[in-house]
């Protein structure tokens, strides 16, 4: 349903600049996949793998389908080559088993895994804070290129402002920095990241180069 609405939004605004923020629910509790997806991935399960939950696999398949539909909609609307696409996770995966939102058959199976990173969602270790980030910027980001430059979500706003060439009002300060040089040339724009996690197990970290202080 969310994707249907998003596709309609793309076609409605194809003749003008637009911003679409799509928060996918597919890999978040409650853990719900279609029955045929669960059956499909149950048959593929490797008992020795940390990623062995058929329900979560089915949800990932739906997420993949949704992302594909959005890209197709941009293409059909004729704006794909003039659109920046950012795909990013908000935190690490839920690595424990969960009885509250999971079919009884999978109560003892971890929902997901951040392996080989340490810990997962709710932790300030790398498994809880390092997330996927994919950026498509036609004509600017080299397709298939990979960067290990440090970035964080507070960088998105100043990056978009820089991309669009907007003038920043006097006195407006960003918490992040523009990662435009990283996207265009692979050049790192920062060497450190601060992260404060205020709930659950409150903690703060400083990531600098290859080191992390918690």
């Amino acid at each position: 349903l969310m994707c249907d609405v998003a596709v309609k939004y793309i076609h409605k605004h194809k003749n003008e600049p637009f911003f679409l923020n799509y928060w996918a629910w597919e890999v978040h509790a409650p853990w719900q996949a279609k029955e045929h997806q669960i059956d499909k991935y149950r048959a593929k399960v490797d008992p020795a793998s940390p990623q062995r939950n058929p329900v979560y696999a089915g949800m990932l398949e739906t997420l993949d389908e949704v992302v594909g539909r959005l890209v197709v909609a941009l293409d059909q609307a004729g704006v794909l080559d003039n659109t920046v696409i950012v795909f990013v996770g908000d935190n690490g995966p839920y690595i424990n088993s969960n009885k509250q939102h999971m079919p009884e058959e999978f109560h003892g199976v971890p929902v997901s895994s951040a392996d080989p990173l340490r810990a997962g969602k709710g932790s300030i270790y790398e498994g809880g804070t390092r997330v996927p980030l994919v950026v498509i910027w036609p004509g600017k980001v080299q397709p298939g290129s990979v960067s290990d430059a440090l970035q964080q979500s507070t960088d998105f706003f100043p990056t978009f402002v820089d991309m669009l060439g907007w003038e920043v009002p006097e006195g407006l300060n960003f918490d992040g920095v523009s990662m435009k040089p990283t996207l265009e040339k692979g050049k790192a724009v920062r060497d450190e990241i601060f992260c404060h996690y205020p709930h659950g197990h409150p903690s703060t970290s400083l990531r600098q180069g290859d080191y992390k202080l918690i």
Side-chain angles (χ1 to χ4, degrees):
L1 177 61
M2 285 172 56
C3 188
D4 290 343
V5 173
V7 168
K8 290 179 181 177
Y9 181 89
I10 289 171
H11 285 283
K12 180 179 179 180
H13 296 278
K14 65 182 180 180
N15 294 320
E16 59 187 347
F18 67 83
F19 176 75
L20 173 62
N21 192 17
Y22 188 100
W23 292 106
W25 199 260
E26 281 82 12
V27 292
H28 195 284
W31 317 109
Q32 297 171 332
K34 303 174 181 69
E35 286 299 324
H36 74 271
Q37 292 174 328
I38 297 175
D39 292 339
K40 173 183 176 180
Y41 291 105
R42 183 191 283 112
K44 297 175 179 286
V45 164
D46 176 2
S49 172
Q51 294 277 15
R52 59 182 188 277
N53 194 306
V55 178
Y56 194 76
M59 296 173 74
L60 282 172
E61 180 180 290
T62 297
L63 175 61
D64 188 56
E65 176 188 337
V66 164
V67 172
R69 286 185 58 200
L70 293 174
V71 173
V72 167
L74 291 168
D75 191 25
Q76 292 176 339
V79 297
L80 181 59
D81 292 336
N82 192 37
T83 301
V84 177
I85 300 174
V86 177
F87 179 92
V88 63
D90 61 345
N91 51 242
Y94 191 91
I95 62 174
N96 301 313
S97 57
N98 188 295
K99 296 181 179 180
Q100 184 177 1
H101 299 301
M102 186 69 68
E104 185 174 358
E105 178 185 354
F106 307 109
H107 277 186
V109 181
V111 174
S112 187
S113 171
D115 187 69
L117 302 179
R118 183 177 182 179
K121 180 177 180 177
S123 165
I124 209 160
Y125 291 119
E126 289 295 273
T129 59
R130 189 189 300 190
V131 297
L133 171 59
V134 180
V135 179
I136 298 174
W137 187 9
K140 298 290 186 178
V141 174
Q142 183 66 29
S145 58
V146 178
S147 172
D148 60 1
L150 291 176
Q151 306 291 337
Q152 59 186 9
S153 56
T154 53
D155 296 336
F156 288 130
F157 187 18
T159 299
F160 295 149
V161 168
D162 199 6
M163 283 176 165
L164 295 167
W166 289 347
E167 290 188 18
V168 179
E170 186 176 349
L172 176 62
N173 297 313
F174 295 115
D175 290 326
V177 296
S178 172
M179 55 183 180
K180 186 168 175 273
T182 304
L183 296 173
E184 289 185 312
K185 302 177 182 178
K187 180 181 178 182
V189 293
R190 62 159 78 246
D191 185 50
E192 60 188 22
I193 284 181
F194 291 91
C195 181
H196 178 60
Y197 189 79
H199 60 95
H201 301 282
S203 50
T204 302
S205 72
L206 163 62
R207 167 77 188 275
Q208 190 173 58
D210 292 333
Y211 295 90
K212 189 171 188 177
L213 174 67
I214 295 179

